[in-house]
Amino acid sequence: MRRLLLLSIFSTIFSIVGCQNKSTNTDKVYIGGKIVNPNLDYVILSRDEDIIDTLKLNNDNQFGQYLNDIDPGIYTLQHNPENQVIYLEPGDSIMIWVNTYDFDQSLNFSGRGSQESSFLLDLFLQNRANNELILNYYKIKPEEFKHISDSIHKKRLEEFNENSSKNNLSDNFKKIARQSIDYEFYDLRERYTYLIKKYYPEFTKLIPEGFNDYRNSLDFNNKLLKNYYLYTNTIDDYLRTRAVEYCIDEHKDRDCFNVSNFDNIKRRAVLIDSLSSTPSIRNKFLDLLLSKAVTMVTNKEDLKKVLHFAESLNYQEIEQIRQLSKIQENYFTGKSVANLTLLNTNSEETTYGDVIDKKSIVYFWSANNIRRYIWQFRTIKKLEEKYPELDFIGVNLDIGQEKKWLRILDENNYDQKNQYQLSKRKFSNDVATKYLYRLNFLDKNAVIARGDAPLSSSAEFESQLLEFLNQ
């Protein structure tokens, strides 16, 4: 049925566009399609964080447009709060069908050049399944995990070779697809390495020789994949693990797994600063790390240290870090958030002061970070059962995306009792999402008692909860 609908849309839109241009221009790219249950009346196509074009929906929620000057490569198709990668090169004519109620699963590409985007979508869905796999399999011994990860890598390569033989894929795309499969494999190994070092350190002695040899193949200047999540996730996870390993080697008496600790963040920033000479890659990670360092600061003295370090780097967006620092001064320990507004699940505006009547832990989440929010809710559920004396309050950061927020809660059967969404703010959405990794320990008067403890199910985090309860 969906295929028939796509053909109908394809014919309709091309009959309209055909009146304007009946010639076939292989230097152009055509993108068209339909969005069912749209959140907005437009779709954004971007690359390297630059907007290429904004495609408007008509009254039937259809869109269609020719694009000029499109270089071959990976682009992002965004319909807030959803987004997905798409591969484009001159001569492509791609139709898209998607239902926002199940964006990734329903997404369908057809038309000339669509097989590349379909391959990337399948890889994304398989990789998302790997997120569940790693949470289940990091408890097994290294030799067993080596076999599992090798098997996944081999299967992906077989699928790619089969796809290549059936379809006329461009050489440029073949490079992207082949490297993407490798980086998926690298990330599986890297995440496993981190998890066993943290939770099962006795397994580190059992890691087989060559298990981490893939690290020699990591390219910190990969311009072909620089905006592709499989690549950026791998580099991010590598920096995290290496910072932990450095800490373990140099400071055996320190908690090296507090990845929100400034020393850990600083080490990762120093690493990417030394490893990458590509400004767009280097600055992407510096922005992530320095922003996290600022949002975890709890007093003026520590904020000065973070700013001094940031200014010591050749970082292009230092002014944004300075602006974020000014905002952060409102979230130091001892500051009240009682008057800040929230939206409850009945679409009613309220405040922290109205919501909080006992000691509470506030965590933030976004629909745009699926891997994290699934883990967050799973972790919070366990903590709620163990610590009923505390309220655990979830605050969604996707302001204005009320339908999507409620749909996620409903579809995943998340308890909506203590779920809220940001209602108003004096700063941009980009700034809001920088608080994704921050927790606020609030007393019964909605005053911040602590804001630098990262969410975790570890014994150390639970000791912090108990300390907070006993204050």
Side-chain angles (χ1 to χ4, degrees), residues 339-357:
N339 293 326
L340 298 185
T341 56
L342 299 168
L343 197 69
N344 67 24
T345 53
N346 294 319
S347 302
E348 299 165 338
E349 204 168 77
T350 185
T351 66
Y352 279 104
D354 293 330
V355 167
I356 292 174
D357 58 9

Side-chain angles (χ1 to χ4, degrees), residues 51-65:
I51 294 177
I52 304 301
D53 214 330
T54 300
L55 314 176
K56 296 287 291 184
L57 303 186
N58 64 18
N59 292 335
D60 296 318
N61 300 328
Q62 298 174 4
F63 62 95
Q65 190 166 317

Side-chain angles (χ1 to χ4, degrees), residues 27 59 75 79 144 156 209 257 265 284 377 379 382 426 443:
D27 293 332
N59 292 335
Y75 292 75
H79 183 72
E144 295 177 71
R156 297 283 194 270
E209 186 177 354
F257 290 93
I265 294 173
K284 180 193 291 285
F377 279 109
T379 303
K382 293 178 181 177
K426 296 180 180 179
D443 68 17

Side-chain angles (χ1 to χ4, degrees), residues 104-129:
D104 297 318
Q105 291 289 346
S106 69
L107 187 59
N108 190 296
F109 299 101
S110 66
R112 186 170 61 248
S114 63
Q115 61 268 22
E116 286 90 348
S117 294
S118 295
F119 182 85
L120 294 179
L121 175 61
D122 288 341
L123 192 60
F124 167 81
L125 295 173
Q126 292 169 338
N127 182 256
R128 192 162 71 179

Side-chain angles (χ1 to χ4, degrees), residues 135 138-139 195 198-199 257 375-376 378-383 386-387 392 439 454-465:
L135 291 173
Y138 75 87
K139 302 173 184 178
L195 288 169
K198 181 174 183 178
Y199 296 109
F257 290 93
W375 172 81
Q376 280 177 297
R378 180 180 296 163
T379 303
I380 290 296
K381 185 176 180 180
K382 293 178 181 177
L383 292 171
K386 293 183 71 172
Y387 301 97
F392 290 84
L439 282 183
L455 179 62
S456 170
S457 57
S458 68
E460 183 193 359
F461 180 69
E462 292 193 39
S463 70
Q464 293 170 343
L465 292 183

Side-chain angles (χ1 to χ4, degrees), residues 105 128 173 201 229 261 371 397 413 444 454:
Q105 291 289 346
R128 192 162 71 179
F173 178 75
Y229 70 92
N261 177 279
R371 186 168 91 178
L397 297 173
N413 295 315
K444 64 180 182 179

Side-chain angles (χ1 to χ4, degrees), residues 355-366:
V355 167
I356 292 174
D357 58 9
K358 65 178 182 179
K359 291 183 177 181
S360 303
I361 307 296
V362 177
Y363 61 99
F364 302 97
W365 65 279
S366 170

Side-chain angles (χ1 to χ4, degrees), residues 287-288 291-292 295 315 320-321 324 397 429-438:
D287 177 63
L288 175 69
S291 296
K292 186 175 182 180
T295 57
Y315 176 53
Q320 290 185 18
I321 296 300
L324 183 62
L397 297 173
N429 185 60
D430 288 341
V431 171
T433 56
K434 295 183 188 302
Y435 283 86
L436 189 61
Y437 297 92
R438 180 184 169 98

